[in-house]
Amino acid sequence: MTTWQIITIAPLVATALILLARPLRVRWRALHLSNSKLAASEAQLRMVLASSGCELWRFNVVEQQIDRENVLSHASERGLGASVRSEDLIAAIHPQDRMLFGDAMRAHVRGLTESFQAVYRMTSLNGEYIWLRSNGQIQRKDANGRVRVVSGTTVEVTHLKEKEQALEAANSSLNAQIEELKAARAHIVETEKRRKLALWGSGCEFFEANLLTEMITRENKTPGLAVNDLGDSTQEYWSYLHPDDIESYRAAFLAHLTGKTDFYDVSYRARRSDGGWCWVQTRGRGVAWDAEGRVTIISGTNYDISVLKNAETGLKHAAEELERRVESRTAALTRAISELRAAQSQLVNSEKMAALGNLVAGVAHEINTPLGISVTAASHLGEISQRLSKQLANGQLKKSELDAFAEQSQSAVELVMTNLRRASELVKSFKQVAVDQSSEQRRVIELKPYLQEILNSLRPSTKRFPQAIMIDAQEGIHWDCYPGALYQITSNLVLNALNHAFAADIPPVVSPTTGLPEIGAIKITAWAGANEISLSISDNGCGMDADTAKRIFEPFFTTKRGLGGSGLGLHIVFNLVNTVFGGTISVETSPGKGSRFLIRVRAV
């Protein structure tokens, strides 16, 4: 190029360079300003992170690398710095939380969740666990839509977690208290139901008399009283007492009001709805007092004892007759008693089991059993008679009800007569009872019907139990034996099973397939062999352990000491089987498997 050409082109090049340099300067200034703002923003972000205690992280999914800023102190203590591999970070997480953390991250990377969230524990160098909460979102994907970068924050929430756990514990405690209150309320309701059921089952009437208002509240009223149809005034109630008994009632009542007795217990006659009189026993005591210590409210029970009074009268006449006979036979009875006492002393010293069996079985059980059955049957007869009288008075009597009454009364009379004759025979043969264990004469019985007759006579005692009693006896077994002893053996074993084998608050359980009781059943089985008769009485109750099974036939051994058990029932059975029948008795039992008593005697 020539000099002239250079001189001509140089200004143009200079002008072009000046024109190109101006936008570059503008861009440089803008870039410098942007970098300054970015540095300020980063400084501000670091300040915010430092003041909030929050860690900022960036997870490179492809390289499995995590870049962190404002690293939390627990992480730095463990050597987890600003850049860490994902497996190293996960290794520091509590073993129980690792799967939760990994599942949450994988779900977010796969696009199943809008954000990543995880609360987990991480250990520090001193071995303590701290709680962390991490939140993040996808920041970048590749051209194929695969996630490349996830960013988020991590903050320590140990204090919040402790508060949360404390709140959960408080809620749990509150819920437990609520449940306890519900259980207590349910228990109160159930107790009230049981109280009413017990009151109904016992036949007692509960009353509460307010002496200030002279009003009386009665629950489960005694049936048949004329006062039942009147109001609730105490004066009205007293007006229906027998005139000859008012003074004794008033005296007992005033004695309690003046503090002379802890309670009052009085028997008296009250007017029935049919115009007659029935005997009532009242037991009551003060339950509330005023400021001066005077009784204001009295609570107690009324109980119809007409049957007992009638039996008492009958027993009194029988006792008078017996006393006259005793006076004429004083010498013979004195000699017999002396012999009996001598025999008793000898047996107690030499063979305690046999002596107690003879004495208790002969006197206490054999006499009380028929008399008790007679009183029960008479009580039943009185109840159905009273019901019939009421229906007759109301004009509601039907022929079917009259027929049923005739049938039931005939059965009751036959039962009373049968057992009174048995009692009479026992009294006459007292000495023989002590030796032979039975007052009945030996006779031939058909075993299965007689076993059913025993259960019928025991119904007043067994009807309060829910358990089923079944008989599975071979037909046509005729046995020459002592029926009284057989009755005593069977009744003792059945009642023993009812009282000991089953818990009172557990009802029977019936099989849905067979319809037979799986729990809560007693089975009486009898069969005849070539030379012997076998009787089995079994239950599917709680059973006995080996130590108890070894001692059950010992006198005075019982598992219900203080609850009504005397410990003589099975001892009496053992003596009757061995001495009267000349047989053997054994027991098969184990805890939870029930018990089975097997009796084997020679067939005669």
Side-chain angles (χ1 to χ4, degrees), residues 84-299:
V84 63
R85 297 288 298 173
S86 61
E87 59 266 22
D88 295 334
L89 180 66
I90 292 178
I93 297 177
H94 192 285
Q96 296 179 359
D97 300 336
R98 290 173 188 169
M99 184 176 294
L100 174 67
F101 184 92
D103 291 344
M105 179 60 75
R106 283 189 290 271
H108 182 56
V109 170
R110 292 172 183 171
L112 302 178
T113 58
E114 294 182 359
S115 62
F116 163 72
Q117 294 182 355
V119 179
Y120 52 95
R121 289 164 288 180
M122 185 174 286
T123 56
S124 59
L125 290 179
N126 60 8
E128 297 180 353
Y129 287 104
I130 61 173
W131 284 92
L132 303 175
R133 184 181 66 218
S134 292
N135 297 287
Q137 284 188 333
I138 297 172
Q139 294 298 316
R140 184 163 61 84
K141 296 182 182 180
D142 59 13
N144 297 322
R146 290 175 295 188
V147 176
R148 296 301 183 186
V149 177
V150 178
S151 298
T153 59
T154 298
V155 64
E156 182 180 349
V157 293
T158 302
H159 183 67
L160 295 177
K161 198 66 178 179
E162 291 174 350
K163 293 289 187 180
E164 179 183 342
Q165 291 174 348
L167 181 59
E168 289 179 355
N171 288 337
S172 177
S173 176
L174 181 61
N175 291 334
Q177 293 178 7
I178 292 174
E179 292 300 324
E180 290 178 359
L181 291 175
K182 290 181 179 178
R185 181 178 180 183
H187 179 69
I188 292 173
V189 173
E190 183 65 23
T191 301
E192 180 65 14
K193 289 172 59 178
R194 291 185 177 182
R195 183 192 70 83
K196 291 184 178 181
L197 181 61
L199 195 64
W200 171 81
S202 66
C204 286
E205 171 189 315
F206 176 79
F207 71 87
E208 185 173 273
N210 190 316
L211 303 184
L212 300 179
T213 62
E214 294 187 350
M215 301 297 291
I216 183 171
T217 302
R218 302 166 63 202
E219 185 177 349
N220 194 40
K221 295 181 179 181
T222 303
L225 293 183
V227 73
N228 290 351
D229 301 327
L230 301 178
D232 297 324
S233 168
T234 56
Q235 296 298 326
E236 289 180 341
Y237 186 87
W238 281 30
S239 66
Y240 277 77
L241 270 59
H242 195 285
D244 296 341
D245 299 333
I246 292 179
E247 189 58 35
S248 61
Y249 187 106
R250 192 183 302 274
F253 187 74
L254 293 177
H256 177 59
L257 290 184
T258 55
K260 296 179 181 178
T261 58
D262 294 334
F263 62 93
Y264 71 97
D265 186 344
V266 60
S267 300
Y268 55 92
R269 285 161 290 183
R271 178 74 68 181
R272 292 200 309 260
S273 299
D274 59 4
W277 299 96
C278 69
W279 280 95
V280 178
Q281 181 185 32
T282 295
R283 291 172 59 90
R285 64 184 306 170
V287 295
W289 296 263
D290 60 13
E292 298 179 359
R294 292 174 297 190
V295 177
T296 57
I297 297 178
I298 287 182
S299 294

Side-chain angles (χ1 to χ4, degrees), residues 370-428:
L371 288 180
I373 295 173
S374 300
V375 171
T376 303
S379 173
H380 177 66
L381 181 59
E383 290 177 359
I384 62 176
S385 298
Q386 185 178 3
R387 186 167 60 248
L388 183 69
S389 299
K390 186 175 181 180
Q391 293 174 340
L392 183 61
N394 295 335
Q396 298 176 350
L397 184 61
K398 300 179 182 178
K399 184 179 183 301
S400 59
E401 294 171 345
L402 183 60
D403 293 340
F405 168 77
E407 181 179 351
Q408 294 178 16
S409 61
Q410 181 62 30
S411 299
V413 170
E414 291 177 357
L415 189 61
V416 169
M417 294 303 298
T418 299
N419 286 277
L420 287 180
R421 281 194 297 268
R422 182 183 301 161
S424 177
E425 292 172 0
L426 291 172
V427 173
K428 293 178 182 178

